[in-house]
Amino acid sequence: MSLLGTVAPLIAAMCLGCASVKSAFTYPARHCEYGDIMDCEHYPATPVLKETSAQGYRFANAPATSQNSDELFVVLMLSGGGTRSAAFSYGVMKELARAAVPRANRSMLDEVDVISAVSGGSFPAAYLALNGPQGLPKFETDFLRWNAQGDLIRTLVFNQKVRNRLASQYFSRVDVAVEKWDEHLFHGATFGQLIGRRPYLMIDATDVATGTVFPFTQSYVDPLCIDLSKFQIARAVGASGAFPPLLSALTIENHGSQCHYVPPEWVTKSSKDRWGNRELFRMANEVLSLTNVVNRPYVHLTDRGVGDNIGARNITRALSIPQAEIPLAEMVKSGRIQRLLLIVVNAQVVDQNDVDISAHSPSARRTFLGAVDAPLNNYSRLAIEGLYRAVEDLQERNSAVACSPGSTTGCLSMFYMVELSFDQIADANERQFFEYLPTTYALDGPVVDGLIRVGGQLLRAHPEYNRLMCDLERGDWKKRGALAGCREQAYQGQ
């Protein structure tokens, strides 16, 4: 079932707590704690970065440790999909926590280096980054067993104080949701608490004005002169899951004139090179767009699912563009990464499409929902295919150095690509059940249990994951290459 189809009945009820049409003109001149005065309420001020530097929440400031190596580099990409995605992703994380790295005193979850997450997937991603593998089990009670959607709707509809606050054009439904997420999950935590730690978290939202991915990292918000170390994690999660029209876009201020930001040389050069590297051209112009504080004094962010519901864009760029913040291509070339595991957790569902049964034209609502869902699903598929192509290109570019001496299976064995989705469930009835789950922030306990179980089962059954575990078990996991028999064993019966 589509997200719009699921939430449509809720929109009217939620908008009882909305003000009339709001427009952002200027920052309000007067502030107060609370009252019936229009525009007293305001979303939190965006922290100002006084001066650009190499400090802050950047991948470069999260070095490898004794419990998290670079040689075995693990990347998770967690899709959108509300609680369905959160539970599915949590099941995968639980399985990684159960699996031990051979001849090392840690789990595969300890080895997770980067998480790129969207919407529903950003909840377990941020929770893991903040609380670590030891604190992850509490996510079940803090979020998965909580009727977050019901709690939010009751607050919006029946809480008179909140309804009065929403009369301000500077305070919206997404700000109420952020307060809920912070109260239940993050307790005021900011990105500053994540500096120097892995997994490195990239929560993705969509820039409403440009349609481009907006990852919450210090490198990306430098042009806005935002100090991400003081920015609440709950607001990033809220922006990533602000699917319209259920939730309004989240607004941040552009302080671009206040930190003496100067674009890197590659931005200036690539922004003019339309016929060179097209992706680098787009990246450069994204940066320059954010520096335009005159025309963009504010930046409005919405659910990343409207552009890339997989969270693959950051990682595709890291595999193919040297200027990307996470230099995966260079780390592979230099030998820092000996084995690269990419896991895509795709909680996409299918629509129960029965329009072709009837001789009559579909209703306007049915046609509209199909017109919205189809591009989102198609783009997700293209994003995954782009990720596969980036891996293949990186393999080809590094084929001469991708194996250690003595490897018996060729020079492309260091890359392991794992995509997990409901269509891999063997039992037809169970597969159909999970593929038709709604996108919501409230699921019954048995459904949550099933999603957690399926996440672990699909990871354990995936041939590429089994090939990696076999290679690690039989060989030196700090060296490239695979031993004879692991590929055959992993793919036997597939």
Side-chain angles (χ1 to χ4, degrees), residues 227-469:
D227 185 353
L228 200 66
S229 69
K230 299 176 182 177
F231 194 93
Q232 285 191 333
I233 294 172
R235 285 188 65 75
V237 172
S240 184
F243 196 93
L246 177 63
L247 293 175
S248 49
L250 184 138
T251 301
I252 58 176
E253 300 157 87
N254 188 342
H255 301 306
S257 60
Q258 300 187 37
C259 67
H260 310 103
Y261 173 78
V262 177
E265 183 180 353
W266 72 264
V267 170
T268 305
K269 181 179 178 180
S270 298
S271 66
K272 303 172 183 176
D273 188 12
R274 179 182 296 273
W275 312 117
N277 186 312
R278 292 190 296 274
E279 188 65 14
L280 202 55
F281 172 77
R282 284 190 288 268
M283 286 177 61
N285 280 282
E286 287 174 21
V287 173
L288 293 181
S289 173
L290 296 175
T291 65
N292 189 354
V293 68
V294 174
N295 292 324
R296 303 193 67 189
Y298 303 94
V299 176
H300 304 285
L301 304 171
T302 192
D303 194 305
R304 184 54 198 158
V306 303
D308 169 16
N309 201 38
I310 302 298
R313 190 65 175 272
N314 295 321
I315 309 307
T316 301
R317 284 179 167 176
L319 291 166
S320 54
I321 304 293
Q323 291 80 4
E325 181 184 0
I326 304 176
L328 289 182
E330 179 56 36
M331 292 173 74
V332 168
K333 182 178 180 180
S334 67
R336 281 178 62 187
I337 294 178
Q338 296 293 318
R339 299 179 188 276
L340 177 61
L341 171 62
L342 304 173
I343 301 178
V344 176
V345 182
N346 183 3
Q348 179 178 316
V349 293
V350 298
D351 194 15
Q352 301 183 50
N353 196 333
D354 57 359
V355 296
D356 289 338
I357 295 176
S358 173
H360 302 290
S361 296
S363 66
R365 175 183 176 277
R366 195 75 189 86
T367 303
F368 171 75
L369 292 177
V372 171
D373 287 340
L376 298 184
N377 293 339
N378 289 340
Y379 190 88
S380 294
R381 187 67 252 166
L382 289 173
I384 294 175
E385 290 175 0
L387 186 66
Y388 274 104
R389 285 195 300 272
V391 170
E392 291 167 359
D393 290 344
L394 185 59
Q395 287 176 333
E396 184 175 346
R397 294 199 304 272
N398 291 276
S399 60
V401 295
C403 279
S404 300
S407 173
T408 60
T409 59
C411 290
L412 303 182
S413 58
M414 63 170 293
F415 300 94
Y416 307 82
M417 179 71 185
V418 175
E419 179 191 351
L420 305 174
S421 56
F422 297 136
D423 62 5
Q424 297 166 5
I425 298 174
D427 183 82
N429 291 330
E430 186 176 47
R431 180 172 63 250
Q432 186 179 66
F433 174 80
F434 287 111
E435 285 185 329
Y436 287 167
L437 282 178
T439 298
T440 174
Y441 284 119
L443 289 173
D444 292 337
V447 177
V448 170
D449 292 336
L451 286 162
I452 295 172
R453 172 181 55 80
V454 165
Q457 286 179 343
L458 293 183
L459 180 60
R460 284 195 303 273
H462 199 284
E464 282 295 285
Y465 181 70
N466 285 316
R467 180 170 72 87
L468 169 66
M469 297 307 292

Side-chain angles (χ1 to χ4, degrees), residues 49-70:
L49 184 69
K50 300 293 181 63
E51 200 74 39
T52 56
S53 71
Q55 305 303 309
Y57 190 62
R58 307 173 192 272
F59 178 75
N61 297 332
T65 68
S66 60
Q67 290 297 304
N68 183 292
S69 67
D70 275 344

Side-chain angles (χ1 to χ4, degrees), residues 31-267:
H31 304 275
C32 59
E33 290 185 2
Y34 173 72
D36 293 329
I37 306 172
M38 184 70 72
D39 294 342
C40 276
E41 291 299 323
H42 199 287
Y43 50 81
T46 307
V48 181
L49 184 69
K50 300 293 181 63
E51 200 74 39
T52 56
S53 71
Q55 305 303 309
Y57 190 62
R58 307 173 192 272
F59 178 75
N61 297 332
T65 68
S66 60
Q67 290 297 304
N68 183 292
S69 67
D70 275 344
E71 289 92 349
L72 174 57
F73 203 91
V74 181
V75 178
L76 300 184
M77 286 154 275
L78 309 181
S79 81
T83 300
R84 182 186 69 246
S85 171
F88 189 34
S89 299
Y90 177 74
V92 173
M93 291 178 178
K94 281 192 69 174
E95 179 59 27
L96 290 171
R98 188 194 66 82
V101 178
R103 296 177 299 283
N105 186 27
R106 56 183 176 274
S107 72
M108 288 294 292
L109 188 62
D110 291 318
E111 278 287 354
V112 173
D113 297 277
V114 175
I115 307 180
S116 178
V118 175
S119 193
S122 68
F123 287 89
Y127 201 92
L128 174 63
L130 183 62
N131 297 287
Q134 293 72 30
L136 182 63
K138 201 167 179 290
F139 181 71
E140 278 197 52
T141 53
D142 283 355
F143 184 75
L144 296 180
R145 311 295 177 180
W146 170 42
N147 185 347
Q149 184 162 298
D151 193 346
L152 179 60
I153 292 174
R154 285 191 296 273
T155 300
L156 288 167
V157 176
F158 299 114
N159 188 314
Q160 188 60 49
K161 180 177 179 179
V162 169
R163 287 162 61 99
N164 289 344
R165 295 171 72 196
L166 287 167
S168 169
Q169 63 179 335
Y170 304 100
F171 190 83
S172 302
R173 300 185 302 282
V174 71
D175 299 304
V176 179
V178 165
E179 291 177 352
K180 289 288 183 185
W181 309 156
D182 194 57
E183 177 187 355
H184 278 261
L185 295 168
F186 305 116
H187 313 295
T190 67
F191 282 91
Q193 292 170 239
L194 305 182
I195 295 175
R197 296 166 58 179
R198 292 192 186 181
Y200 185 66
L201 177 66
M202 304 181 83
I203 296 178
D204 294 343
T206 297
D207 186 327
V208 173
T210 63
T212 55
V213 61
F214 188 103
F216 282 89
T217 68
Q218 188 60 57
S219 296
Y220 197 83
V221 301
D222 273 344
L224 299 169
C225 293
I226 293 175
D227 185 353
L228 200 66
S229 69
K230 299 176 182 177
F231 194 93
Q232 285 191 333
I233 294 172
R235 285 188 65 75
V237 172
S240 184
F243 196 93
L246 177 63
L247 293 175
S248 49
L250 184 138
T251 301
I252 58 176
E253 300 157 87
N254 188 342
H255 301 306
S257 60
Q258 300 187 37
C259 67
H260 310 103
Y261 173 78
V262 177
E265 183 180 353
W266 72 264
V267 170

